[in-house]
Every structure is written in structure tokens, then in C-alpha cells.
Amino acid sequence: MTTILADLEKSPTPTEKGQYVLWQDFDPRKRGGILGFVDDLLERLVCDRIRLHWIRDFVTEFPLAKEGESRTIHFPFRAYRAVIARMAALSDADATKDPFYPYRGIGSFTDSRWPHIRFDVDFDNRNGFLRLDLTPVFSSEPQ
Amino acid sequence: MPTLIHGTTRQRAENIIRNGPNPRYHEPGGVPVNDGFSMYVDGGPYVFDSPEVYARGKARQFPNEGGAVILAVEIPEEIVNAADPLLPIEGGVVQFVEGFGIEELLSVWSALPKEIRTL
């Protein structure tokens, strides 16, 4: 079941595991702009075990576990473009794999904060095809 | 004045020089957007792919637009500071959007020093 939130949504209930600040609560001037936003976003995915499906200015969070509800958040489109650009730079997607790179790509990356987690990313920044899927993959071994 | 650069095709760069950046520009076959206008700090460092990568990407998608170039523009610091706070200049990218610097940029555009660098 999907919960659709009509407007900007505040961060989920603060978790003891994560200190991220997201969505409506995110202040780019205090949190380092889009780099801080992506750092907080990855922390959210890891700490709360969720994946993202993002189209234009709507982000849907899905729990990795079968239980639990998804929720959709309205968020400024300009953030989507910047997050996609950061995903293109972080991941191993490149122009040898996709002629539309850096506007489209599939790849993965890791974050040194969580060496046992791989982030799979599938993005398209071309008008008419806008989409970002971002999924953390947990492993017992460093990625 | 900081020099900011924009990776694009030659045809688009020449159009931008003549008319100024269009935050609602949409590519051939694309859909109407209001994305603003992205520029990089000349010389980086870059937290995204470099402007050369973006220029070559556009040139691949639109091979009839004269090839990949870098448009370089000297922009007054106060206008740079008015850009979108989502992308602080320390990250090497400056995003001019409606309400965040694009109006100021367009108001002085014709007077700003500009050049096109062929890749």
C-alpha cells in the first residue's frame, strides 16, 4: 500500500541509528548542499532499510522488507536533477556502457561509511524518461 | 569575477551567447521544462562529472549541432552568490534557476565577457 503525501514531507521519525535530515527539514545552507543531501539520503536508506524510486518531483520510499508501507514524497524537481548528476559521478556507470551517459546509466557504488553495502543505481535524466532507482544491497562481505 | 563554464554543443553555445541562457530550454524532441541553467567553476574541483563529459554527452545525442564545446563566461560574484543554495559553489557547480540568480544573470548577460572553447 502506498501512502501519498500531498506536500513536502518532513524527515521520518528521528531514528537513533541515523542522524540524517531529509526532505522538508533539509536546509542546504546548513547541510552542505546537494552533497550533504546525498550523504543523508544514503544514511536514510541504510539505517531504515529502504529503497527509492524517484520520478521528477515525486520520491517513493519502499521498505526492503516485505512488510511495511511505501510512502511518496513531493520534493523540488531541481533536487532530482542534482541528485542524478551526483549518482552519475559516484557510480561506475560510464559512456562505454551507455551512449546517453551522463544523462542515463546503470551502475553501483559504495560509501566508505558502510563498506558492506553496495548501492545499485539506475537513472535517466532525459526529459520524458526521468527516473531514478536507488537500492542498497546488504552483504556480509565488504563490497 | 569568477569564470564559470558550461559544457554544450557549438550551436547551443552560440545561441546562449546571443540570447542569454534560457532556463526553460528544451532539447529537440524533449518536453517543456524549467530546469534553470547549470555552470561549473572553471578548473573545478567537480563533485559531478566534468563539463567536458556533459558537453560530449550532448554532442553524442545531437551530432548535427557542431560538436562539443565549453562556453566560458565571467560572472560577477554577487550574481554567483544569488544562485541556488542547493549547490554551493564549493562543490564546483552553480545552478541559476528562477528566483535564484537567473534574473540577475540575464539582466547583465550582454555585457559579460564570453568565449567558446572547442573540445
Side-chain angles (χ1 to χ4, degrees):
Chain A
M1 174 187 239
T2 298
T3 304
I4 297 187
L5 305 172
D7 208 338
L8 290 176
E9 176 66 7
K10 286 180 173 291
S11 294
T13 304
T15 165
E16 293 179 0
K17 293 179 289 185
Q19 299 300 316
Y20 58 79
V21 178
L22 281 177
W23 313 129
Q24 181 180 319
D25 296 332
F26 183 80
D27 183 342
R29 293 180 179 86
K30 293 179 180 174
R31 300 289 287 183
I34 198 63
L35 297 187
F37 181 84
V38 170
D39 283 350
D40 282 6
L41 187 61
L42 297 179
E43 187 174 353
R44 161 81 170 141
L45 301 190
V46 168
C47 291
D48 299 313
R49 299 214 168 211
I50 60 172
R51 64 180 175 87
L52 288 186
H53 179 66
W54 192 333
I55 297 179
R56 289 193 62 90
D57 46 356
F58 286 96
V59 189
T60 303
E61 297 181 336
F62 294 93
L64 291 176
K66 289 182 179 176
E67 305 81 36
E69 290 187 353
S70 62
R71 65 176 202 143
T72 297
I73 300 147
H74 187 214
F75 199 61
F77 178 53
R78 70 184 209 276
Y80 170 88
R81 290 284 204 203
V83 168
I84 291 272
R86 184 63 175 153
M87 293 293 118
L90 284 174
S91 74
D92 57 1
D94 63 35
T96 65
K97 299 172 187 166
D98 192 321
F100 286 108
Y101 182 86
Y103 301 100
R104 184 180 71 184
I106 298 175
S108 61
F109 63 93
T110 57
D111 185 315
S112 59
R113 295 176 291 177
W114 307 288
H116 293 75
I117 298 170
R118 183 184 80 236
F119 294 92
D120 288 343
V121 61
D122 183 348
F123 61 89
D124 200 328
N125 202 9
R126 298 171 302 155
N127 293 325
F129 302 94
L130 298 166
R131 176 183 50 80
L132 166 66
D133 286 294
L134 180 59
T135 305
V137 179
F138 294 76
S139 168
S140 58
E141 301 293 328
Q143 299 293 302
Chain B
M1 285 197 291
T3 299
L4 301 186
I5 58 179
H6 177 79
T8 187
T9 64
R10 178 170 296 280
Q11 182 178 307
R12 295 184 199 188
E14 290 171 349
N15 188 53
I16 293 168
I17 285 180
R18 277 195 304 273
N19 303 314
N22 177 4
R24 295 175 181 267
Y25 177 78
H26 68 274
E27 293 176 326
V31 296
V33 294
N34 187 10
D35 284 353
F37 184 66
S38 299
M39 302 193 81
Y40 285 77
V41 178
D42 196 10
Y46 305 129
V47 299
F48 301 129
D49 283 310
S50 70
E52 288 80 7
V53 169
Y54 278 95
R56 292 195 169 100
K58 288 176 186 172
R60 272 196 306 274
Q61 290 183 64
F62 301 96
N64 298 322
E65 293 191 7
V69 301
I70 296 293
L71 169 64
V73 187
E74 292 180 38
I75 299 180
E77 198 158 343
E78 60 269 25
I79 293 179
V80 174
N81 290 339
D84 190 346
L86 193 60
L87 293 164
I89 195 168
E90 294 77 17
V93 178
V94 177
Q95 176 84 356
F96 297 102
V97 295
E98 290 182 0
F100 290 106
I102 191 72
E103 297 84 359
E104 293 90 336
L105 179 61
L106 289 171
S107 72
V108 299
W109 182 258
S110 61
L112 300 177
K114 314 170 191 72
E115 67 169 342
I116 291 177
R117 303 172 187 166
T118 302
L119 292 177

